[in-house]
Amino acid sequence: MAARSKARKRALDILFEADLRGLPTLELLSERQSLGDVPVQPYAAELVRGVASHSERIDELISWNLVDWTLERMPVVDRNILRIGVYELLWAGDVPDGVAISEAVSLAQNLSTDNSPPFVNGVLARIKAEKPTLSLDPEASAFPAAGDEDDPYADDGDDRDPYADDDEQPAPLEPHPHP
């Protein structure tokens, strides 16, 4: 396993634990770094800090791209895999989009249900497709402003598929089958 893949797994471990136990993420990271039982690679720490610092925006974007599902109902592992994937897609400039999605899908294949990889892929593909129009400002809403002329989702009376002319269409999302 490549070094960054291991770091993603370690970051997922920390985010998963913090989420599951309701602990402050950065405090848990600090504790894990100081204990030294299992080392926290620099890239793992960068991922945890990045997800923590952009958590509201990341969760908003994930929620906005869910179909018949809520962030709260999602399995903890899938939720945190998506958080890492969104962080890498939008804020990690040295990680190609395809790598961010592929690594998230790989984590889902290894650590979650059989239905999780296509679910993770679909959500991240939608966010990738929206990436050129997204504001990364933490004060900005994931939803475009009403009447915004650049809003690709504004109701302009045109019922054609907004992706019909695009070469790259986002993968279709299916409801996540978890209870």
Side-chain angles (χ1 to χ4, degrees):
M1 183 181 288
R4 280 208 166 179
S5 295
K6 287 180 184 176
R8 286 180 185 94
K9 167 66 172 82
R10 184 69 175 122
L12 178 61
D13 292 343
I14 293 167
L15 291 167
F16 177 88
E17 181 180 358
D19 193 0
L20 192 65
R21 295 177 58 200
L23 300 173
T25 304
L26 296 178
E27 286 179 26
L28 183 62
L29 172 62
S30 179
E31 181 183 313
R32 293 294 173 253
Q33 287 176 310
S34 65
L35 290 176
D37 294 343
V38 178
V40 179
Q41 305 91 327
Y43 190 64
E46 179 184 329
L47 288 173
V48 171
R49 283 189 204 99
V51 168
S53 68
H54 300 287
S55 64
E56 280 186 48
R57 187 75 170 130
I58 289 170
D59 285 355
E60 182 180 44
L61 290 167
I62 293 169
S63 294
W64 190 31
N65 284 282
L66 297 176
V67 175
D68 297 329
W69 203 251
T70 64
L71 194 64
E72 296 77 25
R73 283 189 52 225
M74 188 182 304
V76 177
V77 69
D78 291 358
R79 182 169 50 236
N80 286 290
I81 288 170
L82 283 169
R83 286 172 173 158
I84 291 170
V86 171
Y87 171 76
E88 285 192 308
L89 269 175
L90 301 179
W91 287 277
D94 63 333
V95 178
D97 292 348
V99 171
I101 294 171
S102 174
E103 288 288 327
V105 169
S106 179
L107 283 170
Q109 285 172 329
N110 293 325
L111 301 170
S112 198
T113 69
D114 290 342
N115 296 313
S116 294
F119 174 74
V120 166
N121 185 62
V123 172
L124 292 177
R126 279 191 168 190
I127 293 172
K128 177 185 178 266
E130 297 162 359
K131 184 177 176 178
T133 63
L134 292 175
S135 168
L136 301 183
D137 179 355
E139 298 299 315
S141 170
F143 305 98
D148 185 348
E149 62 191 46
D150 295 326
D151 177 2
Y153 302 103
D155 185 7
D156 58 2
D158 185 354
D159 292 332
R160 289 179 294 154
D161 180 355
Y163 297 106
D165 297 327
D166 291 347
D167 292 332
E168 188 174 312
Q169 295 186 14
L173 286 179
E174 296 182 21
H176 206 288
H178 294 289

